Amino acid sequence: MYQNALEGVRVVDFSWVVAGPFCTKLLGLMGADVIKIETSTRPQYLNRGGWSFGLNDSKKSCSINLSTEEGKAIVKRLVAVSDVVVENFSTGVMDRLGFGYEALKAIKNDLIYVSSSGVGRSGPAKDYPAYGSLLQGFSGWTSLFGEPNPQMEAMGVDPSWTDPLTGSWEALLIQAALLSRSRSGQGVCVDLSMLESAIAIMGDVFLGAAASGKSPVPGQSSSHEHAVPHGIYPCKEPDSWIAISVECQAGWGAFSAVLGNPPWCSEEGMRTPAGRQKNRQRIDSLLSAWTAQFPATELFHRFQAAGVAAGPCNNFQEVMNDPQLELRGLFRQPANSDAAVPKTTGIPWKDESDWKGNLFQAPALGEHNEYVFKGILQMSDEEYERHRRAGVFD
Amino acid sequence: MALKLLNGLKVVELGDSVAVAFCGKLLAGLGADVLVIEAPGGSPLRRLPPYYQDIPGADRSVLHNWLCAEKRSITLDIEQARGHAILLELLRGRDALIRGSGKGLGVADIKTANPKLSVITISPFGSEGPYATYRGNDLIHFAMSGFSYYLSSPVGDPAASPPKQNPGYQVGLVAGLRAASATLWAIVAAAKKGAGVMVDLSELEAFTYLMYQYTAHIANGTLPANRERVPGAAITIVGGLVWCLPCSDGWVMVSPREDHQFRHWAEVIGETEWASQPEFSTLKLREHNAWVIYERSAAWTKVRKKNFVFLAAQEKKVACFPVSSMNDLPELEQLKHRGFFAEIDHPVIKGLRYPGLPAKIDNRDTPPTRRAPLLGEHTLEICAELGISSEEIKMLWQQGVI
């Protein structure tokens, strides 16, 4: 199957929480053999609740107690027959385990070793503990949405942004490293920073502030100064809203027609883009009064049918029910699951077939111990039992 | 060893969206040869703000210089027959074409020109389906993905606090990042298939993919019914308790979530007796008493500077960072040390520092970034690569093909 492009690539996955797992899920969906290194001796690995089912699908799990020498030796045997190592521990943890880049490179010369961390593995803050949530503040992301306040009301701290973005960068860099290795035969060491991952996706806003000396207004779009109206307007049902953006002269005529050509749309001051820029506030207030009479979904289709960019401010139930995303098959059940297993996500693109990734259900802790130890590492039954009884696979 | 990971990869970029340009930018930044096809008047990206010194004009778009750095550009009128033919010639020997929707190139033409070429088509909603002809932009996708709604959450009065608008082109940038991944996937898949792979990427889908927490909320039955704040409730983000604390010159966010971290935080702010008080002894109890913790923490932080609080907490291994504004970022010591921001030499735009790739690769310093091409800068060079004679180049120029 050509779609499983990463088939034959084995990933030893030490990562946990969100950023790393988000990355290795993508690699798994592309066909890589992702093996999570977990243990029952640390409670966070036992927790299969929360979002784990949707971030750890399409991977395998083995359990190894890394506080045992045998456990560490087994990991090294696995690395020797693998292609990629992914980790997102605090700085120094992998070195203490004997799994630093140089140590593992000595075992597997062309290894691709990817470390993701809060602020990177070099620099004055490299040892600082960090969480994605705090980096949303540190990176400037929250400053684009709201003022800091004690209750973090409407401050832009949620949804999680830094973590899934970091995972997305990480997948890209691993793909690039694999291509590079296929040409050069050489391994690659990647030191990925979550802080930088977030800022790199705000490059336009950062450069806007740096070039103009003006800070962006929180919660306001600064990228479409030319579009009027351009904003979010209330609809009929409680807390329902629609985004509307009119970008050009022809768009204004279409927009006005959807509203039934009210007299204010053809006033002198509304005829040119420059005039409408001046009247932005007045347009917003007239438009809000009008949109408030209709359901968001109705307005969405009425505007779009007329060629005006519009879209409802969906909650996530509405997102999952969206017919376009439904058709694209983003939310789907893993192939090997029964009907009770909830929907997770496939690969976020399509090709000519309807393939949406090599999606299978998230593994139970240690579900693939035999596959990894007896299969990949070819342990005899006797050796496997000996380690199991000694607690090496806890 | 190749200097950059994607040296040797050859890509053509045809399209005017931020997503297409950012996809090409990432591939170029990683070492691919990315060729941008622009209409004779130049890509609309050249006219997009922000502008250098906030003044519009030729070669003053900072956004363009960032998005098109490291690329080569040819101006080509693909509406004319010869221009169209040159475009097809440019596709030969290339690995991938990144394009926006509605760009005049049929799949049959592409397959004839280069059957091994993979094509990544990026459109607002995807090229098929009920919204295939709908118009989208960052504002619209931000709203439809759920981001707008939840970013303005929780709030005391939802009616008075509309969902948030996105600040810039974050949807396009995320879609471009995703498309770069899709491109590399397609190139490997095409080698297995023995023929080019056609990728259809929807900006809405690519962006919605970030919302993993909410897929889980639906599955677990924990999706909040609305945006309204539960009075007195603590804030947990991605499973951990977080406080936002005032300082004398700004704010910090701090997350002493585990028992030992909480003990250390208590030491930082001089509340050493907290550790032994039963009302703070477990995570659940601390969540319940989050406002007491807030008040006592804030009493200590509000008379101190944010950098002092940040360093004092980190010295005790408590996760704590200042809340930054855009203008704070160039001053962060950590980013300076990593060389994350770097100038790009440019004839007009001077003294501006641009964000780079978010990773150090093989612990190397990043080589200087080549600025975005001036309009038509590589037209002659690329024509020469195609073997077009100087006589024909003159003719094509006069006819407005190039």
Side-chain angles (χ1 to χ4, degrees), chain A residues 51-332:
Chain A
W51 50 80
S52 173
F53 81 95
L55 283 184
N56 288 316
D57 58 63
S58 314
K59 307 174 195 178
K60 300 187 175 97
S61 164
C62 71
S63 54
I64 306 182
N65 184 347
L66 296 178
S67 64
T68 65
E69 287 311 308
E70 293 84 353
K72 286 180 199 162
I74 290 168
V75 165
K76 289 184 176 174
R77 278 165 71 186
L78 185 59
V79 169
V81 291
S82 297
D83 304 281
V84 181
V85 164
V86 174
E87 66 95 9
N88 62 351
F89 291 121
S90 302
T91 300
V93 171
M94 287 294 271
D95 281 327
R96 283 199 291 281
L97 288 166
F99 302 153
Y101 175 58
E102 292 303 330
L104 296 188
K105 187 173 188 267
I107 298 168
K108 170 77 174 164
N109 187 44
D110 63 352
L111 183 68
I112 293 166
Y113 186 98
V114 186
S115 227
S116 79
S117 57
V119 298
R121 299 293 190 204
S122 62
K126 70 178 164 57
D127 296 325
Y128 292 177
Y131 295 109
S133 49
L134 305 188
L135 295 172
Q136 279 164 215
F138 194 43
S139 67
W141 174 246
T142 59
S143 79
L144 306 181
F145 298 101
E147 301 293 343
N149 65 83
Q151 299 185 309
M152 287 181 273
E153 270 211 8
M155 186 179 147
V157 288
D158 225 6
S160 157
W161 166 257
T162 320
D163 282 301
L165 260 186
T166 304
S168 305
W169 279 109
E170 195 169 2
L172 172 67
L173 292 167
I174 291 171
Q175 290 177 268
L178 283 166
L179 268 172
S180 170
R181 191 190 64 165
S182 72
R183 287 155 193 251
S184 71
Q186 304 229 17
V188 179
C189 177
V190 176
D191 159 17
L192 175 67
S193 153
M194 296 177 74
L195 173 65
E196 294 168 13
S197 293
I199 299 171
I201 297 291
M202 293 182 268
D204 58 330
V205 186
F206 169 80
L207 289 168
S212 69
K214 288 186 269 188
S215 291
V217 181
Q220 292 293 310
S221 167
S222 52
S223 60
H224 291 75
E225 286 173 359
H226 53 290
V228 187
H230 180 85
I232 288 173
Y233 305 91
C235 297
K236 192 175 177 185
E237 303 96 333
D239 200 23
S240 77
W241 309 77
I242 187 158
I244 300 170
S245 177
V246 179
E247 296 210 41
C248 58
Q249 189 65 26
W252 178 253
F255 165 82
S256 164
V258 173
L259 270 67
N261 294 314
W264 62 266
C265 284
S266 49
E267 282 170 18
E268 185 64 36
M270 301 291 192
R271 286 189 191 152
T272 61
R276 295 194 288 274
Q277 294 264 21
K278 277 193 201 133
N279 281 301
R280 188 186 286 275
Q281 282 189 333
R282 182 156 170 261
I283 292 171
D284 281 349
S285 116
L286 288 162
L287 179 55
S288 295
W290 186 82
T291 54
Q293 309 169 73
F294 304 98
T297 317
E298 182 191 328
L299 289 182
F300 167 44
H301 294 295
R302 276 174 69 183
F303 277 115
Q304 287 283 7
V308 174
C313 291
N314 289 325
N315 65 37
F316 212 72
Q317 191 62 63
E318 292 162 335
V319 171
M320 284 190 81
N321 293 340
D322 181 89
Q324 182 74 13
L325 292 175
E326 171 81 32
L327 180 105
R328 294 196 57 94
L330 175 61
F331 303 107
R332 55 207 299 118

